[in-house]
Amino acid sequence: MATAKRTKKKIDPRPDWDSYFMEIARVVASRANCSRRKVAAVVVSDHRIISTGYNGTPRGVTNCFEGGCARCSGKAPSGSSLEECICVHAEQNAICQAAYYGIRLAGATIYVTISPCLTCAKLIINAGIKEVVYGGDYAFTAQTEKLLKEAHVICRRFPAE
């Protein structure tokens, strides 16, 4: 009687793709120059990073933590006077960095340390990004969620650790 060989499937000790890219996003966030919040975005296609961005002042402008953004260095309560903030969101920077270097984002996934705001959602849609994976909640309004859904952009919250 022939005995069948049993092969024991080895457990992959590596982090899954979502965990891997979210951890990279957390490291990218450490470069943020906003004095109020550290946020990052990592854009991925075919399991390869194609662009990153973090929040802070525009290129060539004094860093936020050095006083570049009067709103952030002032006493404005969280969520107020946002029209005065000159900092660029992480998603916006990741999309702009790709454009700056001529990198196509259509069909990509963006990993963000916090949920996108409505403005970032519009940019994500128009850049052709097809999936958003986000960490904590920020300004993820019902309108933002509805817009992403209508545009057929998959949006998932990454499980908190």
Side-chain angles (χ1 to χ4, degrees), residues 8-150:
K8 192 174 188 181
K9 186 175 178 176
K10 292 186 179 183
I11 297 172
D12 191 342
R14 303 174 301 169
D16 60 67
W17 289 112
D18 284 351
S19 298
Y20 176 70
F21 291 121
M22 285 302 281
E23 188 60 30
I24 291 171
R26 288 185 193 107
V27 172
V28 172
S30 70
R31 288 285 308 160
N33 76 56
C34 179
S35 58
R36 291 218 171 185
R37 188 180 309 241
K38 305 281 187 205
V39 183
V42 174
V43 185
V44 174
S45 184
D46 296 322
H47 301 298
R48 299 288 176 257
I49 296 170
I50 57 175
S51 186
T52 64
Y54 48 82
N55 62 325
T57 54
R59 177 182 281 128
V61 175
T62 303
N63 286 323
C64 182
F65 64 81
E66 297 172 316
C69 179
R71 186 253 175 204
C72 288
S73 60
K75 302 271 189 230
S78 182
S80 69
S81 304
L82 295 176
E83 68 280 358
E84 299 298 319
C85 183
I86 65 166
C87 290
V88 181
H89 287 192
E91 302 95 321
Q92 295 167 352
N93 270 328
I95 291 167
C96 287
Q97 285 299 310
Y100 189 84
Y101 290 103
I103 299 168
R104 181 178 186 266
L105 300 182
T109 298
I110 189 166
Y111 289 85
V112 191
T113 54
I114 60 173
S115 58
C117 69
L118 182 60
T119 299
C120 287
K122 292 184 281 187
L123 290 171
I124 287 165
I125 292 165
N126 278 354
I129 294 170
K130 292 298 176 192
E131 184 173 19
V132 176
V133 180
Y134 67 94
D137 293 317
Y138 173 59
F140 196 58
T141 65
Q143 185 180 20
T144 303
E145 185 175 21
K146 181 180 180 230
L147 185 68
L148 289 166
K149 188 174 185 175
E150 184 177 341

